[in-house]
Amino acid sequence: MEWVIESNLGPLDTQWPDAHRSLGVFRPGASEPFCWTFEKLSAEECVVWLDDERARARAFMHVDMHRRQILLCEDTPGSRWLSRMVRNIHAAYLVHTGWQPLHACAFPAGARIVVGIGQRGAGKSTLSYLAAQRAGGFFADDMVLIRPAPDGDSEVVGWPGRLAVRRKVLEQTLGEARTAAIEPRLRRGLALSHGHLRGDRFAFDHDEIAPLLGIDYVPMCKAPLRIARLSAHAGMPVMSPWAKSGLCAEDLSHGRDRRHFTDLVGFYRGRPCEAPAPAIEIHAEVSQMQMPFEMTEHFDTLWQHLVR
């Protein structure tokens, strides 16, 4: 399999790092980084490859500034690493042009977009799955990019990724027979979530969500923004009223809520980014919400609060 990108590479910078080196990219919940290896060939060329030793798969990227071309390929059909490379390049560009990546779920709720922020196990995936069934789609269950629009609304970009849903939640929403039929069709099967408050879940790759669950990613939207701060709760849902709309950089500044995308080979800044940019100022309403473990039983109440 071979993909070639030959479109506008105007933002690219030719000041590659000087040395052959390995680069690790960490994400929340991962004990080991995804290992990328970079090698500078000349002032206008570099190569990057990403190896998955356990799956014996490798993706490869060659950047040629003279031809204004990025060549990407993988030596194992079906490997997810080529997709990861493309998404990392795209995410680095979005961050460079003013978007902020958040560790959050996001979905449309009436005339607004709700972004749910919370620690691992707070209920982001379950909430985004249930909301997607009600709204017909969602932006993300784990990572979303946002930026302010000139008119005071916010722009939100969905980010295709894995969706993890507990078996019990699927059985309650789809029925036991359909859930049993879905299980053998999953590439990943169970997501063994050590230390996850809500336990093991079915893991759907981004291209399995629509055919198996009948819900879609929303690619991009501009609308008024609501930020729901989520935390786990054993009983009934507890929800504070939506605070009056205002600037909320402080609500987006916590390390656990930020996704730190690194421009690995200095495409857009001439060198890898060492630290995330400051939290951006966005107009949004904010609410504190405690998500019950049995969220499906209380979702009508939750949904009324989200769209009220």
Side-chain angles (χ1 to χ4, degrees):
M1 181 186 297
E2 188 172 281
W3 295 32
V4 179
I5 300 175
E6 297 184 10
S7 58
N8 178 23
L9 300 183
L12 295 183
D13 196 305
T14 60
Q15 300 173 27
W16 309 119
D18 292 330
H20 173 114
R21 57 184 173 141
S22 295
L23 302 161
V25 181
F26 287 89
R27 62 182 176 85
S31 58
E32 297 179 357
F34 302 114
C35 292
W36 304 61
T37 302
F38 165 85
E39 185 172 359
K40 176 181 177 180
L41 302 180
S42 70
E44 293 188 330
E45 287 184 276
C46 79
V47 292
V48 183
W49 59 93
L50 195 161
D51 287 297
D52 181 357
E53 295 181 357
R54 285 179 293 184
R56 297 183 178 179
R58 183 173 68 171
F60 177 87
M61 173 170 61
H62 177 260
V63 183
D64 186 331
M65 289 298 302
H66 178 69
R67 296 182 180 179
R68 302 178 64 78
Q69 180 184 84
I70 302 176
L71 173 69
L72 301 116
C73 60
E74 61 181 352
D75 58 13
T76 307
S79 168
R80 65 185 184 275
W81 299 118
L82 179 60
S83 172
R84 190 175 297 281
M85 277 189 163
V86 173
R87 285 187 288 165
N88 195 89
I89 295 169
H90 183 54
Y93 175 69
L94 289 177
V95 172
H96 176 67
T97 54
W99 295 82
Q100 179 168 304
L102 294 175
H103 179 211
C105 67
F107 48 86
R112 299 174 177 86
I113 301 169
V114 173
V115 173
I117 296 172
Q119 293 185 358
R120 195 167 183 245
K124 296 188 299 295
S125 294
T126 303
L127 179 61
S128 59
Y129 165 70
L130 294 173
Q133 288 197 319
R134 187 66 59 94
F138 69 113
F139 294 94
D141 90 306
D142 187 65
M143 200 278 281
V144 65
L145 292 109
I146 62 175
R147 73 175 177 182
D151 58 4
D153 289 345
S154 295
E155 295 176 314
V156 178
V157 166
W159 196 255
R162 187 186 70 176
L163 174 64
V165 187
R166 284 181 292 143
R167 182 197 300 270
K168 185 175 181 179
V169 172
L170 289 175
E171 290 176 344
Q172 289 173 332
T173 55
L174 303 179
E176 293 184 5
R178 185 175 170 189
T179 301
I182 285 174
E183 183 172 8
R185 299 173 63 185
L186 292 174
R187 295 190 194 99
R188 298 173 183 260
L190 277 176
L192 300 176
S193 306
H194 301 293
H196 195 288
L197 294 179
R198 297 178 187 263
D200 295 338
R201 302 157 294 164
F202 282 3
F204 296 82
D205 281 338
H206 68 275
D207 58 344
E208 296 175 319
I209 294 172
L212 296 182
L213 296 177
I215 56 179
D216 294 307
Y217 281 103
V218 179
M220 182 176 176
C221 186
K222 183 172 76 69
L225 187 69
R226 281 181 160 174
I227 296 175
R229 284 210 160 275
L230 311 179
S231 59
H233 188 58
M236 295 284 288
V238 178
M239 300 165 286
S240 65
W242 292 101
K244 187 177 180 180
S245 180
L247 293 171
C248 59
E250 185 176 351
D251 292 284
L252 304 175
S253 63
H254 300 283
R256 65 176 181 270
D257 299 333
R258 304 285 299 279
R259 282 295 199 196
H260 298 168
F261 266 97
T262 301
D263 186 359
L264 289 172
V265 294
F267 278 161
Y268 306 110
R269 298 180 187 271
R271 58 183 178 80
C273 305
E274 300 298 334
I280 57 179
E281 289 283 13
I282 285 180
H283 284 273
E285 297 173 315
V286 180
S287 178
Q288 301 288 332
M289 303 178 64
Q290 291 184 305
M291 299 290 97
F293 190 83
E294 300 300 340
M295 203 180 301
T296 50
E297 298 177 8
H298 305 288
F299 187 68
D300 285 341
T301 302
L302 290 169
W303 186 252
Q304 290 302 315
H305 180 75
L306 292 167
V307 301
R308 184 178 299 131

